Amino acid sequence: MRLTVIIVNYNVEHFLEQCLLSVEKSCRGIENEIIVVDNNSVDGSVDMLKKRFPDVLLLCNKENTGYSKANNQALRIAKGEYCLLLNPDTVVEEDTFKKCLDFMDNHRDCGGLGVKMVDGKGKFLPESKRSLPTPSVAFYKIFGLSKLFPTSKTFGRYHLGFLDKNKTHQVDVLSGACMMLRKEALDKTGLLDEDFFMYGEDIDLSHRIIKAGYKNYYFPSARIIHYKGESTKKGSLNYVYLFYKAMVVFAKKHFSDKNAKAFTLLINTAIFFRALLSVFKRFLAGIFFLLIDATVIFAGFLLIANYWETHVKAMDGISYPKELFQIFLPAYIIIWIISLYFSGAYDRPAKTSRVFQGITLGTVFILIGYALLPESMRYSRALIVLGAIWSILSLYFYRILISYAGVKRFSTKTDSPKRIAIAGKSREAERVADIVRKTHPDTGFIGLINDENDNNDNPNVIGTWNQLKDIIHIYRINEVIFCSKDVDANNIIDLMTSGLPENVDFKIAPPESHFLIGSNSIHTADELYLYNVNAINAPSNKRNKRFLDIVSAVFLLMFSPIIIWFIKHKKGFLINCWLVFTGKKSWVGYDNTQSSITPQKLPGIRPGILHPVDAVDTNLRTNDVAQRLNLLYAREYRVTMDMRIMAKNFKQLGRLSKV
């Protein structure tokens, strides 16, 4: 057998499906076997594999054994002369495998082969070719010198930026995302080192291939799209920790004791500073604009209080006590900031009207509390009102000012409706267009791009594939969807890398599927969608839903001695109130008891006491209705939906189900 393709999967069902579709095309004419090792996925991957790819050899693990162990399971039973380790978040060209096999046949010294990888926006991924992470190379990488001088032969060695990305080169390290291996070389080097759980195993194996007398080649004539895995999340602290720890394992295994100790010290220092920097950045990003607002309000309030005390209260011989500024003013500011937050004043895109709503709501709460205070603590109602007016005006104009200064966080510009071009033959392009119309009703424009040989009179056709660059310019297209049934991966990558504008997003629609995959990253939430069910994931909706849960749970608990007599399951009512308050449940969540749409196929929310199907009469609660209402609830969510469902099913608030 010529080729064994090995894919390790962990909870990326839709990406795996698209990957396998491209793998099957690339395997045509090659004696092959495809092995998928599933590391205990819960997203429906296994069921999808059994239904759509019955010829794929599936190995199911009962736990996440890690990348190395899972690959070794398949390598031990692989029959191919060559073995390809491939990530599930990839798309390969139709001739990728043939080109790679021909190259390795013609270069008997080639033990491992890597290809040119581009992300979902067509940008070259520098990790396609790498150098051995010696202490000096690692130092330049960790402290950013390789990023500052990417083409330097001294500082840019990590990604070998001084080598032409469009030419074949011998390299030290190949990427485990797509690594073709000669089985003969594996027999000499041994399998992947299972001490590496997720990262570093490709570096280790690449190094052992060279030590065994073979060479590793970077081969740009073969290309793949790599969405850069969800488990990676390269900006996360967890990734930094796991990756650098893998480097320590590598150093201890391959470097001398002296170099290994120096390398370990360097890595641990890097982990500490990266962790400190990450925590600081997250903290600062979370409170920065809140602190600015609080400072603006505080400064204005002091000026107003000073003027009021000097020119108004002075006539009566009254001065404000220090408690007003040390206790009450900070309390007022906290209430205003909280009200701004829950009014959506910090959401994107920024809406200045939310400033008015937030400050007004906060002022109402402050005045209610003020009225309940003893007379001796009521320093000035006028100050509160004047402070509120100052807060509204200052925050309003300050947001307008920084919006025009180009600060994206407070940009008042709303995203313009998407203008989409769909590349594919008539029938498939219309099918995908129908999905877009149903799921994105606010889409500004949808045009079809056909094959030049696909003659039809469809009025929605705006040109052919080879006119894409002009079409994007003339029709102001900002998203292109490729129908993989009609447009092969070679053409897709060619078009993506042909110098199109950077503001254009690309997505791929697999045949017979109702989801699109796109962006440069698998973990970008809004780029993978079954249908447009992101409404419930909008920050304002998530916040409002949680706010309703907390307030209603507190209210129901406070008045439970009375309310409980109207509830059917009294013990369950108290339990549910506590579960909702602590965030383990929500009053309303998806119905997964009847519906065939599982929670993994919809945006994640807390499990519910009640379900969208509870909004209809009992005799209408069929499986199909439950499925449609789940989808509608996710797509068109409003907090009033929860309120109506709770009101209609008030007696059922004690209903118990599994958490």
Side-chain angles (χ1 to χ4, degrees), residues 137 140-141 145-147 149-150 152-158:
V137 171
Y140 301 143
K141 170 71 167 64
L145 292 172
S146 62
K147 192 172 184 178
F149 308 102
S152 167
K153 289 187 177 181
T154 300
F155 301 124
R157 286 201 60 80
Y158 187 81

Side-chain angles (χ1 to χ4, degrees), residues 25 28 91 112 224 254 261 270 314 394 408 525 614 636 651:
K25 289 182 180 179
R28 289 172 183 168
V91 177
I224 68 167
H254 294 287
K261 288 179 181 178
S394 61
K408 292 183 179 181
D614 290 320
E636 307 292 342
K651 294 182 179 180

Side-chain angles (χ1 to χ4, degrees), residues 190-366:
L191 303 181
L192 297 173
D193 188 336
E194 296 181 4
D195 286 342
F196 297 93
F197 181 81
M198 187 178 296
Y199 306 112
E201 69 290 319
D202 49 359
I203 300 175
D204 175 72
L205 182 57
S206 296
H207 187 54
R208 285 190 283 127
I209 287 173
I210 293 174
K211 288 173 70 175
Y214 293 91
K215 296 176 181 177
N216 295 317
Y217 285 90
Y218 163 70
F219 181 54
S221 296
R223 302 173 302 178
I224 68 167
I225 300 172
H226 181 207
Y227 293 105
K228 302 168 71 172
E230 181 167 317
S231 58
T232 301
K233 297 184 184 287
K234 295 199 172 183
S236 72
L237 183 59
N238 186 54
Y239 164 75
V240 172
Y241 177 79
L242 290 175
F243 179 76
Y244 285 156
K245 279 298 184 183
M247 294 301 95
V248 170
V249 174
F250 177 82
K252 290 180 177 178
K253 181 176 179 180
H254 294 287
F255 297 161
S256 65
D257 288 342
K258 182 180 179 180
N259 283 339
K261 288 179 181 178
F263 193 87
T264 301
L265 178 63
L266 174 66
I267 291 298
N268 288 331
T269 303
I271 291 173
F272 173 77
F273 281 108
R274 287 290 294 270
L276 196 65
L277 181 63
S278 178
V279 170
F280 178 73
K281 284 175 65 178
R282 290 186 182 186
F283 176 75
L284 190 63
I287 69 166
F288 182 72
F289 288 105
L290 279 74
L291 288 177
I292 290 180
D293 284 354
T295 302
V296 170
I297 295 173
F298 185 81
F301 200 99
L302 284 181
L303 292 173
I304 293 170
N306 181 64
Y307 178 86
W308 201 255
E309 185 180 41
T310 304
H311 294 84
V312 179
K313 292 293 184 180
M315 299 179 186
D316 302 321
I318 297 174
S319 62
Y320 293 124
K322 60 182 181 180
E323 287 80 9
L324 172 64
F325 304 102
Q326 295 177 352
I327 299 174
F328 288 93
L329 177 54
Y332 297 161
I333 292 175
I334 290 172
I335 292 172
W336 275 323
I337 293 297
I338 292 174
S339 298
L340 285 168
Y341 175 79
F342 281 106
S343 296
Y346 301 102
D347 291 348
R348 301 181 193 180
K351 291 185 179 179
T352 50
S353 61
R354 293 169 181 164
V355 172
F356 177 80
Q357 295 171 8
I359 296 298
T360 302
L361 179 63
T363 303
V364 170
F365 281 112
I366 291 171

Side-chain angles (χ1 to χ4, degrees), residues 130-195:
R130 287 179 289 170
S131 177
L132 194 69
T134 60
S136 60
V137 171
F139 178 86
Y140 301 143
K141 170 71 167 64
I142 290 168
F143 291 99
L145 292 172
S146 62
K147 192 172 184 178
L148 286 173
F149 308 102
T151 59
S152 167
K153 289 187 177 181
T154 300
F155 301 124
R157 286 201 60 80
Y158 187 81
H159 285 135
L160 300 172
F162 50 87
L163 297 180
D164 189 338
K165 65 184 179 183
N166 296 315
K167 292 183 179 179
T168 301
H169 301 283
Q170 288 184 37
V171 295
D172 293 335
V173 176
L174 304 173
S175 171
C178 182
M179 179 189 285
M180 186 168 284
L181 305 165
R182 190 182 299 275
K183 189 68 181 300
E184 172 192 300
L186 276 178
D187 293 337
K188 292 182 180 180
T189 62
L191 303 181
L192 297 173
D193 188 336
E194 296 181 4
D195 286 342

